[in-house]
Amino acid sequence: MSGELPADPQQPELLRVCRIGRAQGLKGEVTVRIFTDEPEERFAPGAELFNRDGSVTYTVERARTFKNRWYLKLEGVDDRNAAEELNGTVLYGEPWELEDDEFYPKDLVGLEARLKADGRVLGKVVDMIEGAQWLLKIRLAQPVGSETTALVPFVIDLVPDIDLEEGYLTIDPPGGLIPGV
């Protein structure tokens, strides 16, 4: 561990990178479950990761993979006891600059959801739910019965168009996925 981030209310939102698991060996190495598409960059020696509020900085000393599992050695975590204390800690990283056609899942929250077939407004994206499959949680503009929200798997076949500048995305749902559609 190294220094702390300044208490800056303008600090950018941090993105979840990994969760620390069990200690590996006796010299402070830990296993991690990754939540990033680019672990080689996020875990490069000298890379900085943070706790949720950014008040504690963890600097990567080294990283390695073995059989599709990542192992990290963080500066200042030099023995098994220190590594075990970190079990369950979620580490975050600063967002990177993206290309024009790239976005973070959080960027979709607030977008209007339109049906691809006729352009009708379906509702508004109110959340992105992460799991084995990302899901869009859409608050329906016209609730159907007791259903006020719908969950749509975030895959290109169902969400073919995203226009961040115009503030909408299109949904092409199969019959029965969304009530009343």
Side-chain angles (χ1 to χ4, degrees):
M1 291 184 288
S2 63
E4 296 184 3
L5 289 177
D8 179 4
Q10 300 300 316
Q11 177 184 342
E13 183 177 343
L14 298 173
L15 302 173
R16 186 172 66 153
V17 173
C18 66
R19 185 178 68 228
I20 296 176
R22 299 185 328 213
Q24 173 68 28
L26 301 174
K27 297 184 179 181
E29 199 172 49
V30 294
T31 62
V32 293
R33 177 174 182 214
I34 63 169
F35 302 115
T36 179
D37 291 340
E38 299 171 334
E40 292 84 6
E41 287 88 7
R42 291 286 186 186
F43 303 148
E48 293 184 337
L49 301 170
F50 309 94
N51 67 338
R52 178 65 190 126
D53 66 5
S55 63
V56 179
T57 302
Y58 299 89
T59 303
V60 176
E61 189 174 304
R62 67 178 179 270
R64 65 183 176 93
T65 60
F66 181 69
K67 294 188 179 180
N68 296 323
R69 182 167 295 183
W70 278 90
Y71 301 90
L72 297 183
K73 169 66 177 75
L74 302 170
E75 289 181 7
V77 181
D78 296 321
D79 60 38
R80 186 171 186 86
N81 291 337
E84 286 175 349
E85 287 179 22
L86 294 176
N87 191 346
T89 301
V90 178
L91 299 179
Y92 297 82
E94 292 182 354
W96 290 332
E97 288 292 319
L98 299 175
E99 299 295 322
D100 288 339
D101 62 343
E102 295 179 318
F103 54 86
Y104 288 111
K106 68 177 181 61
D107 296 337
L108 302 182
V109 174
L111 294 183
E112 183 177 79
R114 301 177 184 171
L115 289 174
K116 183 164 179 71
D118 59 13
R120 184 169 35 124
V121 174
L122 180 62
K124 188 175 204 169
V125 178
V126 294
D127 198 7
M128 289 289 296
I129 300 169
E130 185 179 359
Q133 169 70 56
W134 280 97
L135 297 171
L136 293 170
K137 183 176 183 180
I138 299 170
R139 180 178 297 124
L140 300 174
Q142 305 284 325
V144 179
S146 63
E147 300 294 325
T148 58
T149 61
L151 296 177
V152 177
F154 185 60
V155 295
I156 196 155
D157 290 341
L158 301 180
V159 187
D161 304 305
I162 298 169
D163 191 328
L164 294 177
E165 283 187 24
E166 296 294 322
Y168 74 92
L169 53 79
T170 59
I171 297 185
D172 190 14
L177 178 65
I178 300 172
V181 174

